Amino acid sequence: MNKLLWASLIALALHGCSPKIHTTKVSNNDAAAGWYAYVKDHKYDNAAEVYSFTDSMVRLHGDKVGYLMSKKSYGDVELTLQYRWNIEPAYQRGTGKRNSGVMYNVPDTARDVLWPAGIQFQVKEGATGDFILLENVTLTVRGETKAPGKSVAVPRLSEQDKPLGEWNTILIRSVKGKCSQYLNGVLVNEGTNASSQSGRILLQYEGSPIDFRNIIIKPLK
């Protein structure tokens, strides 16, 4: 039997008592019960048909650009996870800058396309931590409300990513329209008055092999 992957750990803190921890266990035979995969024009309820699930990681690779999408939506939420670029020779594709992302506040009404509406924590060589506002989502950043557009980039405050192949830690906090993005413990971008304040979570595969682990989704009350 395949080993189980802790693919999504949902921590709910209740006022006045100890936190209750809810876990979703995922194996290669029953991939990501709480997630589905999408590539152009096709949705896979069994995400393992597209991506790899090991006993410690979710590995996105291959010749099909797409994503993993949570089936559940969240309101105010704190998301933490770790990522690293997969630099194993067998998985390499292309020679451009490695590019991926973590999206949140993807509305339930957003249809599956490359890429749906929402807010992206950009994960890209030389740009990790940028906001990418997709499909007319707006956000006020450093006093300026960004005009809606198909894909609007807002640069990060500083570069905090680790050397190629090392694990990086992302923390995203979305509370009542305020979006804070941290990389390796440092605040790298922040905005308020988000036009999309709740929704699903999405892990992007844009053709650059990437690994994710230790995904923790904590609803905030």
Side-chain angles (χ1 to χ4, degrees), residues 104-215:
Y104 55 102
N105 294 355
V106 178
D108 289 334
T109 55
R111 63 190 183 93
D112 284 307
V113 294
L114 300 174
W115 305 97
I119 300 172
Q120 181 193 146
F121 186 122
Q122 173 79 288
V123 177
K124 183 178 181 179
E125 289 182 304
T128 299
D130 289 3
F131 281 120
I132 306 294
L133 309 176
L134 291 158
E135 297 295 338
N136 299 313
V137 169
T138 59
L139 187 68
T140 300
V141 184
R142 296 183 280 283
E144 179 186 354
T145 300
K146 302 301 176 180
K150 186 173 182 61
S151 179
V152 178
V154 186
R156 67 219 170 280
L157 295 168
S158 62
E159 294 191 21
Q160 298 296 331
D161 43 332
K162 294 183 179 180
L164 191 65
E166 293 188 17
W167 287 102
N168 294 268
T169 299
I170 283 174
L171 186 151
I172 296 167
R173 187 178 292 115
S174 175
V175 181
K176 295 179 173 57
K178 181 178 180 179
C179 301
S180 305
Q181 298 188 162
Y182 295 80
L183 181 61
N184 296 319
V186 178
L187 179 66
V188 292
N189 230 334
E190 190 166 62
T192 58
N193 303 317
S195 62
S196 183
Q197 299 187 11
S198 64
R200 295 166 291 167
I201 293 166
L202 180 158
L203 305 181
Q204 288 182 313
Y205 174 60
E206 297 194 43
S208 304
I210 189 168
D211 301 330
F212 293 97
R213 70 178 185 183
N214 296 333
I215 302 167

Side-chain angles (χ1 to χ4, degrees), residues 5-7 26 28 31-32 37 47-64 66-68 82-92 100 165 167 203-215:
L5 165 67
W6 298 100
V26 183
N28 284 344
E49 293 183 51
V50 184
Y51 303 120
S52 299
F53 295 81
T54 74
D55 59 348
S56 61
M57 294 182 292
V58 180
R59 314 197 80 182
L60 309 188
H61 56 80
D63 58 3
K64 296 181 178 180
Y67 53 76
L68 280 175
Q82 292 182 300
Y83 81 88
R84 71 175 180 188
W85 297 113
N86 179 347
I87 58 175
E88 297 175 30
Y91 295 102
Q92 298 314 296
S100 180
W167 287 102
L203 305 181
Q204 288 182 313
Y205 174 60
E206 297 194 43
S208 304
I210 189 168
D211 301 330
F212 293 97
R213 70 178 185 183
N214 296 333
I215 302 167

